[in-house]
């Protein structure tokens, strides 16, 4: 009962901005792990072609809701730990286009993995990488060294 | 000299050499100059490289271009500031200079005047003459080193420069002062945790082993340079980085 009450209670209030940022970090890390596994498979480092569909589905799941993880009030002006740039909010329609490209590319990978065609898989995999990189180039701050 | 440059090869070389980044102002027309290269000795602006006859290279011949790239000298004989990394480009072969020149001819001419440099120290021309005096002309390099040092001036971002803007070779690839942002060390020790495959993934997909995508000038080197190299050239570049 307590759990349910808590869930209901939390839905009545907005989540804490720090928690939203942490949650989107984890989502990105999940995407990164699926990408790493996919890279190992498409490069022939490991014979696990049968896993491609699962990795594609994992990436698709991240892409599906990713845009929702950037509500107002979770930008660099409010949260210290975020690496999102202010442009996510000031150029929202461009950011949404980048999210859409992420969704389209991961869907193309899922379709190609379902069909099992190597060439289509390679092409879609390249497209997913481009969608990650394209969004980071414009909306994520660079790492410090 | 007769020329048979291939603009497509020239485009990939230009991408690896990062020319466009220095030769394009933020938000300005591509290749028309104006990016500020900040060095401890002053701020230098990349020139207009489009074939515009007045403000670009429209009045140049191939020999002018070759002298600029190999000797760091302008058609009127004055020495360029080494913020223009000709200390790397000096090792480019005539053949590759021909490809680059052919590529530059395909650009749209833009009538944008060059921006004057700021804070040039007195007597710097002397330093450049000294470089030329000690410099022995193109070195023979193996393919990987050639791609990494003559074409791609990886060291310009990944190692510190001396006060006259020359590269401090002892610190080569140990991480330095990027014209855009601070670049991490990429000597064999720093890259010990990276397999050749990890580097190949970075140079094709742009993704590093932690699943992130290096930005800060590197992103463009990947998209316009390393990703366009032939597989054999990319493998040679990686072997050079790994010190083998």
């Amino acid at each position: 009962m307590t759990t349910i009450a808590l869930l209901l209670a939390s839905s009545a209030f907005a989540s804490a901005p720090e928690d939203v940022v942490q949650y989107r970090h984890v989502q990105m890390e999940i995407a990164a792990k699926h990408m790493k596994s996919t890279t190992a498979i498409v490069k022939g480092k490991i014979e696990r072609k049968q896993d491609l569909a699962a990795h594609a589905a994992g990436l698709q799941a991240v892409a599906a809701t990713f845009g929702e993880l950037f509500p107002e009030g979770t930008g660099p002006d409010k949260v210290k730990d975020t690496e999102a740039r202010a442009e996510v909010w000031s150029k929202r329609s461009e950011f949404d286009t980048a999210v859409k490209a992420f969704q389209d590319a991961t869907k193309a990978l899922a379709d190609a993995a379902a069909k099992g065609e190597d060439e289509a898989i390679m092409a879609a995999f390249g497209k997913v990488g481009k969608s990650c990189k394209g969004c980071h180039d414009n909306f994520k701050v660079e790492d410090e060294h | 000299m007769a020329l048979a440059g291939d603009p497509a090869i020239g485009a990939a070389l230009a991408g690896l050499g990062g020319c466009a980044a220095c030769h394009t102002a933020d938000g300005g027309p591509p290749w028309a100059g104006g990016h500020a290269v900040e060095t401890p000795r002053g701020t230098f602006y990349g020139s207009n490289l489009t074939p515009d006859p007045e403000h670009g290279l429209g009045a140049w011949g191939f020999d002018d271009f070759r002298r600029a790239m190999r000797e760091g000298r302008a058609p009127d004989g004055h020495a360029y500031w080494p913020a223009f990394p000709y200390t790397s480009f000096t090792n480019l072969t005539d053949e590759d200079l021909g490809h680059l020149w052919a590529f530059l001819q395909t650009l749209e001419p833009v009538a944008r005047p060059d921006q004057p440099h700021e804070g040039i120290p007195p007597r710097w021309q002397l330093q450049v003459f000294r470089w030329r005096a000690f410099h022995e002309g193109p070195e023979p390099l193996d393919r990987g080193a050639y791609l990494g040092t003559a074409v791609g001036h990886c060291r310009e971002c990944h190692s510190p420069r001396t006060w006259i803007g020359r590269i401090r070779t002892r610190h080569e690839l140990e991480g330095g002062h990027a014209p855009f942002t601070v670049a991490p060390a990429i000597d064999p020790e720093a890259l010990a945790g990276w397999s050749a495959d990890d580097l190949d993934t970075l140079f094709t997909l742009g993704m590093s082993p932690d699943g992130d995508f290096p930005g800060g000038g590197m992103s463009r080197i990947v998209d316009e340079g390393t990703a366009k190299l032939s597989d054999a050239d990319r493998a040679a570049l990686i072997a050079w980085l790994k010190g083998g």
Side-chain angles (χ1 to χ4, degrees):
Chain A
M1 275 313 283
T2 356
T3 323
I4 292 171
L6 278 174
L7 281 173
L8 289 175
S10 67
S11 67
F13 304 99
S15 317
E18 288 75 14
D19 293 333
V20 176
V21 168
Q22 204 190 349
Y23 186 81
R24 68 192 181 215
H25 282 170
V26 173
Q27 290 297 300
M28 283 280 92
E29 281 158 21
I30 291 168
K33 301 290 185 226
H34 283 303
M35 279 301 277
K36 280 192 79 169
S37 302
T38 307
T39 308
I41 298 168
V42 301
K43 285 196 166 177
K45 297 281 287 179
I46 181 153
E47 291 281 332
R48 294 293 309 171
K49 229 183 127 181
Q50 65 272 35
D51 294 353
L52 279 176
H55 294 305
L59 286 164
Q60 241 189 319
V62 172
T65 58
F66 193 57
E68 295 163 18
L69 306 182
F70 293 83
E72 290 291 340
T74 63
D77 51 336
K78 295 283 192 313
V79 187
K80 204 171 78 293
D81 278 345
T82 184
E83 290 185 311
R85 288 195 209 169
E87 279 81 0
V88 169
W89 293 270
S90 65
K91 296 186 175 164
R92 190 68 196 203
S93 69
E94 282 176 40
F95 180 73
D96 291 342
T97 306
V99 173
K100 177 79 170 44
F102 187 25
Q103 292 167 346
D104 291 348
T106 50
K107 178 172 189 307
L109 184 62
D111 291 348
K115 291 203 190 92
E117 290 162 2
D118 286 354
E119 227 165 86
I121 289 169
M122 283 308 287
F125 173 64
K127 237 173 98 178
V128 174
K130 273 212 169 71
S131 76
C132 315
K133 185 166 183 298
C135 186
H136 282 211
D137 281 352
N138 294 318
F139 297 105
K140 179 175 178 286
V141 297
E142 285 134 23
D143 288 343
E144 307 240 343
H145 294 280
Chain B
M1 127 166 207
L3 265 183
D6 179 339
I9 299 178
L13 294 172
L16 193 64
C19 330
C22 286
H23 287 278
T24 305
D26 288 346
W31 295 94
H35 176 83
V37 182
E38 298 192 13
T39 78
R41 293 281 135 179
T43 301
F44 302 89
Y45 294 92
S47 345
N48 184 339
L49 297 188
T50 72
D52 183 72
E54 193 184 345
H55 302 294
L57 307 184
W60 283 30
F62 175 70
D63 287 336
D64 296 318
F65 178 66
R66 185 170 55 177
R67 190 181 309 116
M69 299 290 283
R70 185 155 296 152
E71 297 172 33
R73 249 184 326 143
D76 69 6
H78 90 266
Y80 291 117
W81 181 255
F84 165 27
Y86 54 81
T87 49
S88 301
F89 300 147
T90 189
N91 286 318
L92 283 171
T93 62
D94 277 353
E95 191 186 347
D96 283 344
L97 287 173
H99 295 315
L100 278 167
W101 184 241
F103 164 70
L104 291 175
Q105 306 309 302
T106 66
L107 300 173
E108 195 64 35
V110 179
R112 182 185 189 282
D114 283 341
Q115 207 155 326
H117 306 312
E118 290 152 21
I120 301 181
R123 289 160 43 92
W124 67 269
Q125 292 256 344
L126 250 180
Q127 300 295 333
V128 179
F129 284 121
R130 198 168 299 162
W131 170 73
R132 251 192 256 143
F134 286 109
H135 170 69
E136 284 156 5
E139 297 171 52
L141 296 164
D142 78 42
R143 188 68 187 166
Y146 177 79
L147 293 167
T149 65
V151 190
H153 46 109
C154 319
R155 292 179 294 192
E156 298 292 321
C157 292
H158 287 282
S159 71
R161 284 163 177 263
T162 61
W163 68 272
I164 58 158
R166 273 187 58 196
I167 295 166
R168 215 186 284 166
T169 38
R170 233 159 31 84
H171 296 286
E172 239 175 60
L173 302 175
E174 282 173 14
H177 179 78
F180 308 93
T181 174
V182 180
I186 54 167
D187 57 295
E189 204 176 311
L191 292 179
W194 292 59
S195 68
D197 259 311
D198 291 339
L199 287 165
D200 191 67
T201 302
L202 173 68
F203 293 152
T204 48
L205 204 61
M207 188 171 76
S208 50
D210 64 1
D212 214 334
F213 296 80
M218 193 59 208
S219 168
R220 200 162 171 171
I221 299 286
V222 169
D223 284 347
E224 296 172 6
T226 57
K228 286 190 180 168
L229 290 176
S230 68
D231 289 350
D233 275 356
R234 202 163 36 247
L237 181 67
I238 290 167
W240 169 69
L241 280 172
K242 299 291 286 176

